Amino acid sequence: MAALFGDGDDDSHRGSEVGVIRPRIKQFFRIALRRDDIVVRNVDDEIRAHLDMRTEQLVREGLTPERAREEAIRRFGSMDDARRDLQQHAHQRERTMQLREWLDALRQDIRYAARGLRREPLFAGFVIATLALGIGANAAMFGVVDRMLLRGPEHITDASRLMRVYLHERVPGQGEFATPTFGYVMYSTLKNNTHSFDGVAAYVATPHGQTVLGHGTDAQLIQQGQATADLFPVLGVKPALGRFFSPDEDNVVGAERVAVLGYGLWQRVYAGDPNILGKTILLRDIPYAVVGVAPKGFTGPQLNRVDVWVPMSLHVSLQTPDWSHTWSAQWLMVVSRLKPGVTRTQAAEDATAAYRHAYTGGDKDDAGADLLVAPLTFSEDGKESTEVTVSRWFVGVAFVVLLIACSNVVNLLLARAVRRRREVAVRLALGAARRRLVQLLLTESLMLAALGGAAGLAVAWVTATLMRTVLLNNVEWTSSAIDARVLVVSAAIALGVGVITGLVPALRSSRPDLTSSLKSGVREGGAHGTRLRAALTVAQAALSIVLLVGAGLFVRSLTNVRGLDLGMQPARFLVVSPRWPSISSLDSARQVTERARRENVLAQVLDKTRQLPGIERAAMTIGLPFRSGYQQFLRVPGWDSIPKVGGAASVSAASGDYFETVGTRVLNGRAFTSADHAGTEPVTVVSELMAKTLWPKGDAIGQCLFTGPKKDSLNICSRVVGVAADVHRFRLNEKASMHYYVPFGQERGMGGTDLLVRPRNDPQAAIPEIRKLFQQLDPTIVYVDANTLQDEVDPQVRPWRLGASVFGLMGILALLVAAVGLYSVMSYLVAQRTHELGVRIALGASGGNILSLVLKSSVGMALLGIVIGLAMTLVAGRFIQPLLFNTSSRDSSVLGGVALAMLAVALLASALPALRARGTDPMEALRTE
């Protein structure tokens, strides 16, 4: 302000300083009022005081008062600008002082809260542990769901516009069927004849694209992704090193074989060599030039790991459009990116029109089919995948656990607030503001929530790591279990929990009855507080019932899945698949010779394997369930036609001992023997459903099947010699379908032989010996892949295993938290009713009467929670029913068992407070009043 006064002599300067003191002193005493009108009035006083001083100075210099005033105003300048600047500085100063005061108060509150929590370590420890479990469970579930559902596969740009294409057919009498797998001609048609997509690409999904890297002892089985060159631009992904393959390398026959390494393989096998570009790797003994490295975690349009990418043209025919393989065994999937503004329905209509216009296959069912487009999260049946649906339930389950934890913490804080009523009353009586008191109590709850959130990160890390390694081990995880998004969500949850759990106790505590609270010895609490705590306890019990019922239903489903009769014993035998070098570069004659040689090697290995001491059975097959399947043309005397889809019969080739090896029972007739081979009478074994469908009178044995890869080959009768039990072909939850077997050597148009080995003991122990046999008989074999068929089945069990694990863990956790909550409530009620209990005992009440009185309250709250919880599960049952396997959401044994478990826990939780109440000393209880 001194600059506003200009230059003057010392006397006038001192006079100015004296003149300024009064408004500043006035402002100093008004500073605590913190009102805008005060700030404005102070600024006006400041300006007026300055003009008065300047006017007095000019009058002393000889000007008239009127002229001096005008000159003072002129020298001052714009009054409005000065007033605005001064008000802005005043408001800024006020905000700064308010912030400093608030921070100082917060620092005091934190120090006070920390001292209070140190005085009550058991209370603080339990609250922090409870919140850690609730927040940690939600953080872990968010991390999993975020990766699997929200973000989609890594490095994909705008994944919400990416769609997978499905062929959808309606077959009269058989229902509707959808498949995402096509031949190359379908991809070409959609790419060139549609207008709704910004791009169309094709790829082969793992695990159907396994290959062998290297040769000899260094060879290893890796996951190979096959893709058209346009897949990468359609997905919007950029390479980490080098480039992806070009259209010329994908579409030109005879082009150089190139490969793009997955980031994990590049690091794991080649130690992240920056000079890897241009080097050669061996895939099934064929050299490929490395042209690039995919970014870390890139798996294409799916979540399974991909170790190497190669052009699609190396594995499918690009020359002759073949609509007969619309339902392709090549596992070719088509992915497209919608144009902005185009809906899924519009894109499906566009794709269907293009398909029907181009289709020339001649099959009426295929010709009338339509195409669907669906997000990448949908499964192979064109519906949302079970994993995605279960993931959504996981979020709900974790949220329920958080609600239970919050209600328990609110209960504890309310009990603590009752103990602190006298302290709060003293503060209010001494003049503390209610707002200031609420801030103090909220600071305590936020501090507990922050500590619980920090501990919850450890819980989340352990939980997420276990889920990743045990339950979701086939997903490519690139980020830590606790990444930035999980940290942000955890912080938000902790903040919300702190406010929610602290607000109700803080508001209740800040409005005590000062008179009663300041009286020493008056019983604490009240009917309203008791009802609130009891309601929170009932809510905990009800929510725990929901989680426990969900856990019981998923456990029952998992038990049903594991006990399901698949028609075979997949865990008891090995599937051995030798990986030979590719013969695509050989001419036709040499390919035929090489295939015959390899079949001979397999036959020799089969004979030698049967002679090993630890082997019980061994056989060969083509078309093993859960791995591959074949359908051929079929004619049955007395039938005009057999539906192609749904009711069509699939076929497998099997050697002698096949049924004994895989554990499939032969119900009637006989199985194949060593006498059934090429050149002998054609025979077949049919499944039970096929026998009942085609020969309902039960006379299947001796009947004829005419089958072959082409319609004009249906002239040889295969006599039915046996009826075998039905076998699940590809899905655990599929209905039985017609299937038949032909002897190995009598199959036509089938390829891909697997060796089946049934050891007497652990199947894994027999693998080294079998691999050694293959290498001795044929050193050209690149790799021998061997595992049990159970490894192929287990991924389908994952949804139920996930549900049982997560619901079970969260249910047990919720039950423990609810039990502790009930214990705390009963302990509080017993302490509150000490005087009443003492009077009852003094009047002659027995220990049994007191025990019954306390237990009745506990059981009453538990029963009310059980009833509400069971009602909630019955309502939610229709939503969870599709996720269950051969289990009703209203399973009475599960509902009854959970209700009894909750009732037992309630009795145990209230036993100690009840015993404490029975031992109340009446004299001591009466003296406390």
Side-chain angles (χ1 to χ4, degrees):
M1 293 292 292
L4 295 174
F5 299 130
D7 297 329
D9 57 23
D10 293 340
D11 291 338
S12 64
H13 206 64
R14 284 193 296 271
S16 298
E17 291 176 353
V18 172
V20 174
I21 291 175
R22 287 194 304 273
R24 285 184 176 175
I25 293 175
K26 188 190 303 182
Q27 183 179 1
F28 175 78
F29 282 106
R30 289 176 177 172
I31 197 168
L33 297 179
R34 299 282 161 74
R35 283 166 37 191
D36 289 341
D37 59 332
I38 298 296
V39 171
V40 172
R41 191 160 60 246
N42 285 345
V43 170
D44 291 341
D45 290 346
E46 191 77 27
I47 294 175
R48 189 181 304 108
H50 166 71
L51 292 176
D52 291 343
M53 289 184 291
R54 176 65 70 185
T55 300
E56 292 174 5
Q57 180 182 359
L58 293 174
V59 168
R60 287 195 301 270
E61 293 177 357
L63 297 179
T64 64
E66 293 79 5
R67 183 75 182 88
R69 188 68 178 181
E70 292 176 357
E71 182 64 17
I73 293 174
R74 187 188 67 78
R75 291 187 182 186
F76 186 82
S78 174
M79 192 78 67
D80 292 337
D81 291 342
R83 181 180 290 108
R84 184 172 56 253
D85 292 341
L86 289 173
Q87 288 179 3
Q88 181 179 356
H89 288 301
H91 283 299
Q92 183 176 358
R93 180 182 59 196
E94 294 296 325
R95 288 193 296 268
T96 301
M97 295 186 67
Q98 288 178 7
L99 178 61
R100 289 177 178 174
E101 291 179 5
W102 182 81
L103 290 176
D104 184 63
L106 179 62
R107 183 167 54 253
Q108 294 177 11
D109 291 345
I110 292 176
R111 292 169 58 185
Y112 180 82
R115 289 197 301 267
L117 295 179
R118 281 199 300 268
R119 289 194 300 268
E120 298 178 291
L122 290 178
F123 165 81
F126 182 77
V127 170
I128 292 171
T130 302
L131 292 178
L133 293 175
I135 296 173
N138 278 266
M141 290 301 104
F142 172 80
V144 173
V145 173
D146 180 47
R147 180 66 177 84
M148 297 186 65
L149 183 60
L150 301 181
R151 286 189 295 173
E154 293 279 356
H155 303 286
I156 288 181
T157 303
D158 196 5
S160 62
R161 289 170 52 205
L162 280 176
M163 298 289 154
R164 186 173 286 131
V165 181
Y166 295 81
L167 182 72
H168 178 241
E169 287 189 345
R170 300 176 181 86
V171 181
Q174 301 298 328
E176 299 183 11
F177 304 89
T179 178
T181 58
F182 310 107
Y184 192 89
V185 62
M186 175 71 83
Y187 153 70
S188 180
T189 297
L190 295 177
K191 178 179 176 64
N192 299 320
N193 299 286
T194 54
H195 310 284
S196 300
F197 306 114
D198 271 340
V200 178
Y203 68 100
V204 172
T206 57
H208 308 292
Q210 289 182 335
T211 190
V212 178
L213 174 67
H215 186 83
T217 57
D218 295 331
Q220 55 182 298
L221 194 65
I222 63 173
Q223 296 293 339
Q224 174 182 271
Q226 304 163 23
T228 55
D230 45 20
L231 176 68
F232 309 104
V234 167
L235 299 182
V237 64
K238 305 296 182 183
L241 186 67
R243 62 177 177 85
F244 294 118
F245 36 86
S246 66
D248 289 341
E249 292 165 334
D250 180 38
N251 294 328
V252 177
V253 177
E256 180 186 9
R257 294 179 180 270
V258 296
V260 176
L261 299 181
Y263 190 92
L265 183 71
W266 180 47
Q267 295 291 327
R268 187 171 66 251
V269 177
Y270 302 101
D273 181 10
N275 300 314
I276 191 67
L277 300 181
K279 293 186 177 180
T280 299
I281 62 173
L282 290 179
L283 300 177
R284 289 193 67 182
D285 259 13
I286 298 176
Y288 287 74
V290 177
V291 296
V293 176
K296 183 178 182 181
F298 175 66
T299 60
Q302 55 187 31
L303 294 176
N304 294 328
R305 187 185 81 246
V306 179
D307 295 315
V308 64
W309 293 92
V310 298
M312 180 72 71
S313 59
L314 301 177
H315 299 273
V316 299
S317 173
L318 308 184
Q319 305 303 311
T320 305
D322 186 3
W323 285 103
S324 65
H325 288 84
T326 303
W327 294 72
S328 174
Q330 295 171 333
W331 298 96
L332 189 83
M333 292 192 176
V334 176
V335 63
S336 59
R337 180 176 290 276
L338 295 180
K339 288 183 177 179
V342 176
T343 65
R344 286 172 50 189
T345 302
Q346 293 170 338
E349 292 173 353
D350 182 23
T352 300
Y355 162 72
R356 292 180 178 178
H357 178 74
Y359 182 75
T360 57
D363 187 285
K364 65 177 183 179
D365 291 330
D366 283 347
D370 53 4
L371 268 60
L372 307 177
V373 293
L376 299 181
T377 53
F378 277 44
S379 60
E380 293 184 1
D381 59 0
K383 301 177 182 177
E384 185 178 72
S385 66
T386 305
E387 287 85 351
V388 171
T389 307
V390 171
S391 296
R392 287 201 178 95
W393 276 95
F394 286 173
V395 175
V397 168
F399 183 68
V400 169
V401 172
L402 184 63
L403 288 179
I404 295 174
C406 288
S407 63
N408 207 327
V409 171
V410 171
N411 244 337
L412 292 172
L413 291 177
L414 285 173
R416 188 168 183 254
V418 169
R419 296 196 303 270
R420 299 175 63 184
R421 291 176 71 242
R422 184 177 177 82
E423 172 197 341
V424 172
V426 170
R427 286 177 176 270
L428 291 174
L430 293 176
R434 182 168 177 263
R435 179 189 61 81
R436 185 71 180 79
L437 188 60
V438 171
Q439 177 181 319
L440 171 62
L441 298 176
L442 273 178
T443 300
E444 291 182 345
S445 66
L446 286 172
M447 179 181 291
L448 289 170
L451 295 173
L457 291 178
V459 175
W461 186 86
V462 172
T463 304
T465 301
L466 286 175
M467 290 188 66
R468 289 181 174 194
T469 56
V470 178
L471 301 176
L472 298 169
N473 56 355
N474 66 322
V475 176
E476 180 81 359
W477 301 99
T478 57
S479 59
S480 170
I482 305 297
D483 58 13
R485 290 164 65 96
V486 173
L487 285 175
V488 170
V489 170
S490 300
I493 294 174
L495 178 62
V497 167
V499 173
I500 292 173
T501 58
L503 194 58
V504 174
L507 292 177
R508 286 181 55 81
S509 299
S510 62
R511 290 181 175 177
D513 182 352
L514 295 183
T515 303
S516 62
S517 298
L518 291 173
K519 289 182 179 179
S520 177
V522 176
R523 292 193 301 273
E524 301 173 330
H528 181 70
T530 301
R531 287 196 298 270
L532 178 60
R533 300 197 66 201
L536 290 172
T537 303
V538 170
Q540 292 181 53
L543 293 174
S544 300
I545 288 291
V546 173
L547 293 186
L548 289 172
V549 169
L553 293 176
F554 269 104
V555 169
R556 177 64 60 86
S557 295
L558 182 61
T559 302
N560 291 342
V561 169
R562 289 177 172 171
L564 181 66
D565 183 9
L566 300 178
M568 58 176 61
Q569 300 170 335
R572 288 288 293 115
F573 64 91
L574 292 168
V575 183
V576 184
S577 303
R579 307 290 176 128
W580 275 285
S582 174
I583 60 174
S584 59
S585 60
L586 303 179
D587 57 48
S588 300
R590 293 177 62 188
Q591 287 185 16
V592 172
T593 302
E594 178 61 16
R595 288 194 184 98
R597 187 189 70 82
R598 293 177 180 181
E599 292 293 340
N600 183 55
V601 171
L602 278 172
Q604 293 182 55
V605 172
L606 175 63
D607 292 338
K608 292 184 177 296
T609 300
R610 288 170 172 169
Q611 298 172 14
L612 294 176
I615 303 303
E616 181 180 343
R617 301 277 184 178
M620 288 193 300
T621 187
I622 301 175
L624 183 67
F626 293 95
R627 286 178 65 92
S628 61
Y630 288 91
Q631 285 185 344
Q632 294 188 341
F633 291 94
L634 183 65
R635 180 170 62 86
V636 180
W639 284 80
D640 292 335
S641 65
I642 296 179
K644 175 188 172 185
V645 181
S650 54
V651 58
S652 296
S655 68
D657 279 353
Y658 168 84
F659 296 100
E660 294 86 351
T661 301
V662 301
T664 299
R665 294 175 293 114
V666 177
L667 306 177
N668 193 14
R670 67 174 179 86
F672 299 137
T673 67
S674 57
D676 299 314
H677 52 76
T680 63
E681 177 192 11
V683 294
T684 184
V685 173
V686 299
S687 67
E688 183 179 12
L689 177 65
M690 189 170 182
K692 291 179 178 179
T693 301
L694 300 181
W695 302 284
K697 296 182 179 180
D699 52 352
I701 303 300
Q703 299 290 344
C704 272
L705 286 181
F706 294 88
T707 180
K710 299 179 181 180
K711 286 185 178 180
D712 56 9
S713 65
L714 305 182
N715 53 10
I716 300 177
C717 168
S718 293
R719 185 170 56 86
V720 177
V721 296
V723 176
D726 291 326
V727 173
H728 287 246
R729 297 299 303 168
F730 295 104
R731 307 291 300 176
L732 293 175
N733 54 357
E734 68 185 6
K735 295 181 180 179
S737 60
M738 295 194 295
H739 186 77
Y740 64 100
Y741 306 84
V742 297
F744 201 83
Q746 293 186 5
E747 78 282 357
R748 292 177 292 168
M750 300 169 62
T753 305
D754 289 316
L755 176 67
L756 309 179
V757 179
R758 185 185 183 97
R760 289 189 172 86
N761 299 308
D762 180 20
Q764 298 296 325
I767 293 177
E769 195 71 23
I770 296 172
R771 284 178 172 163
K772 183 178 179 181
L773 277 178
F774 272 104
Q775 294 294 337
Q776 289 175 347
L777 291 172
D778 188 358
T780 66
I781 291 177
V782 179
Y783 186 81
V784 178
D785 183 22
N787 53 30
T788 65
L789 188 64
Q790 189 66 44
D791 295 332
E792 306 280 346
V793 177
D794 279 343
Q796 297 188 34
V797 183
R798 185 175 65 185
W800 296 289
R801 188 169 65 245
L802 275 172
S805 302
V806 173
F807 269 90
L809 177 63
M810 298 301 176
I812 293 174
L813 174 62
L815 185 64
L816 291 176
V817 173
V820 174
L822 183 61
Y823 168 79
S824 66
V825 169
M826 296 310 301
S827 297
Y828 165 74
L829 291 177
V830 168
Q832 185 187 37
R833 300 173 66 180
T834 300
H835 177 75
E836 174 196 342
L837 296 175
V839 172
R840 287 177 178 270
I841 294 175
L843 293 177
S846 64
N849 297 136
I850 300 299
L851 197 65
S852 174
L853 181 66
V854 175
L855 291 180
K856 186 182 298 183
S857 299
S858 172
V859 172
M861 287 187 289
L863 286 176
L864 183 57
I866 290 172
V867 171
I868 296 174
L870 291 179
M872 294 169 63
T873 60
L874 293 177
V875 173
R878 60 191 183 94
F879 299 105
I880 200 175
Q881 184 63 57
L883 302 177
L884 305 178
F885 186 86
N886 292 344
T887 303
S888 170
S889 61
R890 301 187 176 188
D891 190 310
S892 58
S893 60
V894 172
L895 298 178
V898 168
L900 290 176
M902 175 57 72
L903 192 59
V905 168
L907 290 173
L908 289 175
S910 56
L912 187 58
L915 293 174
R916 191 183 303 124
R918 187 179 65 175
T920 300
D921 184 351
M923 296 302 298
E924 181 179 351
L926 293 174
R927 278 197 299 268
T928 62
E929 182 61 27

